[in-house]
Amino acid sequence: MKAVILAGGLGTRISEESDTKPKPMVEVGGKPLLWHIMKNYAHHGINDFVICLGYKGYVIKEFFFNYYRHLSDMTIDLRTGEHTILNSQSEDWRITLVDTGPDTMTGGRLKRVAPYLDNETFCMTYGDGLSNIDISAELAFHKQHGKLATVAAVQPPGRFGVLNIDAQHGVSSFEEKPSDEIGWINGGFFVLEPKAIDYIADDSTSWERAPLANLAKDGQMSAFHHTGFWQPCDTLRDKRELEALWAAGDAPWRVWDR
């Protein structure tokens, strides 16, 4: 099974970093967000990836092309240019890197990589969100309901305390950052059948608009409820929170052993 990762957006809300690299290459714990996401999929036995490139896609190509050099010890002979890898840290991954255009929308990127998906069930996610979602359980759920699409439903942590105010303007209760303040939202981890791509018109189609709306209208989408950790990395604040969790050895999304 393949996992498609959308990695072509601009990431304007974290421009402090995305001015020089694609958003999925923003680092947490010294590794790109993209790496963390792929490690989660690999933990569930999915090692075949199709990455949709766009903005500064060459940065992602360079990272994987030189992956084992980045992460391994080596000896280099500067006189001859020869080098020897001393201990390879490479992963058992197969990665297809596809340039899906700098301005293509999310649905258009998915449609462009359809020829690489072998007409089989596949996973899809974005390159900027970390979670400890149980991919294996989501796959089992998808196979059970038999629809074209499964979306992970999550409840994001609230950013603000909520005041419950009575008719006399008194505060009857206060909840600090309730997780259910806006209910369930699209968590960005999908399992899809190839026919779901037929709902995408062209490069200008945003996956989150007409395709998802029409899949739901046609009764072809089910929600897999994920109640564990989930956090996008949209801002510098988000990055710092994720870095703090990693540095403390308390990163909930780290479900892999090494």
Side-chain angles (χ1 to χ4, degrees):
M1 178 174 288
K2 297 178 188 289
V4 175
I5 304 178
L6 303 180
L10 294 176
T12 54
R13 284 187 289 177
I14 192 168
S15 59
E16 298 92 343
E17 299 241 5
S18 62
D19 278 349
T20 58
K21 67 184 74 169
K23 188 177 176 185
M25 294 302 289
V26 170
E27 292 187 356
V28 170
K31 300 289 195 309
L33 292 167
L34 184 58
W35 178 88
H36 291 268
I37 294 165
M38 295 167 75
K39 288 287 283 187
N40 192 349
Y41 275 108
H43 174 72
H44 291 278
I46 299 174
N47 299 306
D48 197 345
F49 300 97
V50 178
I51 302 179
C52 303
L53 306 179
Y55 173 71
K56 295 188 183 294
Y58 62 86
V59 177
I60 297 177
K61 286 183 178 179
E62 192 278 336
F63 175 77
F64 286 113
F65 188 78
N66 292 299
Y67 186 89
Y68 71 99
R69 293 187 177 93
H70 287 306
L71 301 180
S72 301
D73 295 335
M74 64 172 64
T75 298
I76 303 173
D77 189 326
L78 294 181
R79 292 173 300 174
T80 64
E82 295 179 354
H83 66 275
T84 304
I85 302 298
L86 302 179
N87 62 326
S88 177
Q89 299 295 319
S90 60
E91 306 285 350
D92 183 21
W93 296 347
R94 182 175 185 270
I95 306 169
T96 302
L97 301 162
V98 184
D99 184 356
T100 55
D103 302 314
T104 307
M105 301 299 287
T106 49
R109 295 191 191 282
L110 176 56
K111 194 175 186 71
R112 284 203 184 196
V113 301
Y116 302 99
L117 301 179
D118 301 330
N119 201 35
E120 297 176 348
T121 305
F122 64 96
C123 296
M124 187 191 82
T125 193
Y126 305 96
D128 60 358
L130 300 182
S131 175
N132 61 356
I133 182 172
D134 188 337
I135 299 296
S136 297
E138 186 182 22
L139 283 167
F141 173 79
H142 178 80
K143 292 176 182 177
Q144 184 178 33
H145 67 64
K147 297 179 181 179
L148 295 182
T150 294
V151 58
V154 302
Q155 288 185 303
R159 290 192 182 275
F160 305 100
V162 173
L163 300 174
N164 294 315
I165 303 172
D166 61 29
Q168 285 72 45
H169 306 290
V171 177
S172 58
S173 65
F174 174 80
E175 295 179 75
E176 175 63 13
K177 301 180 180 180
S179 63
D180 60 350
E181 64 181 57
I182 61 173
W184 296 93
I185 67 167
N186 168 15
F189 288 85
F190 297 88
V191 182
L192 303 171
E193 296 300 320
K195 287 188 178 298
I197 299 176
D198 294 342
Y199 283 77
I200 302 169
D202 52 34
D203 280 0
S204 65
T205 303
S206 174
W207 171 248
E208 301 75 26
R209 295 186 178 275
L212 289 187
N214 289 328
L215 281 163
K217 182 181 70 174
D218 292 347
Q220 288 295 330
M221 182 165 57
S222 288
F224 174 79
H225 289 81
H226 171 62
T227 57
F229 179 84
W230 177 87
Q231 183 174 321
C233 187
D234 288 330
T235 65
L236 196 56
R237 171 184 172 176
D238 293 333
K239 171 183 160 63
R240 287 170 176 164
E241 289 177 355
L242 294 170
E243 283 276 16
L245 288 172
W246 185 269
D250 189 29
W253 69 90
R254 184 171 182 167
V255 296
W256 58 90
D257 296 328
R258 66 175 183 85

